[in-house]
C-alpha cells in the first residue's frame, strides 16, 4: 500500500496501528510516534526517523536501508530480519529490541544505547 507521511500520521492519530507492507521510502517521519504499530515488511528505505518513538513496534522484515534513526526509541521493538544496511542508528535506544537475523552491514552504530540488552543473535554485519 502506498501511503505518504501525512496520511500515516492522520491514520495513526485515528487509532490505526496496522501499516504492514506500506511504502514509505524517503518519508520524513522525524519525531513521529509509531509505538505499538505494525510496520512489518514496510519499505522505509532512506526515511528520516530521527527522534521517533518506535517502541514496541513490529518491524519484522522491514526495509530500513539507508534510513536515519538517530536518537530513535526502539525499545522492545521486533526488528527481526530487517534490512538496516547503511542505516544511521547513532544514539538510538535498543533496550530489549529483537534484532535477530537483522542485516546491519555498514550501519552507523556510534553511541547506540543498551545494545547489550538487545537480542542480536545471528545479526549480520556486527
Amino acid at each position: 500500500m502506498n501511503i505518504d507521511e501525512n496520511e500515516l500520521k492522520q491514520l495513526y492519530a485515528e487509532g490505526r496501528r496496522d501499516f504492514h507492507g506500506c511504502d514509505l521510502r524517503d518519508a520524513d517521519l522525524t519525531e513521529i510516534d509509531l509505538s505499538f504499530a505494525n510496520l512489518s515488511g514496510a519499505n522505509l528505505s532512506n526515511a528520516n526517523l530521527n527522534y521517533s518513538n518506535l517502541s514496541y513496534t513490529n518491524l519484522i522484515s522491514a526495509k530500513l536501508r539507508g534510513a536515519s534513526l538517530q536518537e530513535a526509541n526502539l525499545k522492545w521493538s521486533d526488528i527481526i530480519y530487517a534490512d538496516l544496511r547503511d542505516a544511521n542508528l547513532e544514539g538510538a535506544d535498543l533496550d530489549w529490541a529483537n534484532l535477530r537475523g537483522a542485516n546491519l552491514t555498514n550501519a552507523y552504530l556510534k553511541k547506540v544505547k543498551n545494545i547489550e540488552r538487545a537480542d542480536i543473535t545471528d545479526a549480520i554485519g556486527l
Side-chain angles (χ1 to χ4, degrees):
M1 166 177 35
N2 287 331
I3 188 170
D4 68 28
E5 51 260 34
N6 292 324
E7 286 178 280
L8 175 69
K9 290 173 186 176
Q10 179 182 349
L11 291 169
Y12 187 89
E14 292 171 359
R16 182 169 171 186
R17 297 295 180 265
D18 188 4
F19 302 101
H20 75 277
C22 284
D23 187 350
L24 290 157
R25 283 176 286 185
D26 304 309
D28 184 2
L29 302 171
T30 306
E31 296 183 354
I32 195 166
D33 180 359
L34 291 173
S35 54
F36 296 95
N38 178 7
L39 290 163
S40 62
N43 189 347
L44 293 154
S45 299
N46 299 311
N48 183 346
L49 291 153
N50 294 337
Y51 304 98
S52 60
N53 182 3
L54 299 169
S55 59
Y56 298 92
T57 299
N58 179 348
L59 290 160
I60 296 171
S61 298
K63 296 170 185 74
L64 291 151
R65 186 170 189 172
S68 187
L69 294 143
Q70 290 184 47
E71 300 292 332
N73 178 356
L74 291 159
K75 293 178 182 180
W76 293 97
S77 292
D78 285 320
I79 316 169
I80 301 164
Y81 299 115
D83 182 358
L84 289 154
R85 290 176 290 169
D86 305 310
N88 183 353
L89 291 152
E90 182 177 6
D93 192 344
L94 297 176
D95 200 19
W96 301 107
N98 188 342
L99 290 136
R100 285 181 291 140
N103 190 340
L104 292 155
T105 304
N106 295 322
Y108 190 72
L109 301 170
K110 187 175 182 179
K111 298 182 183 176
V112 170
K113 299 173 188 116
N114 299 309
I115 196 165
E116 69 280 358
R117 289 197 295 246
D119 185 350
I120 53 173
T121 305
D122 298 324
I124 302 165
L126 288 179

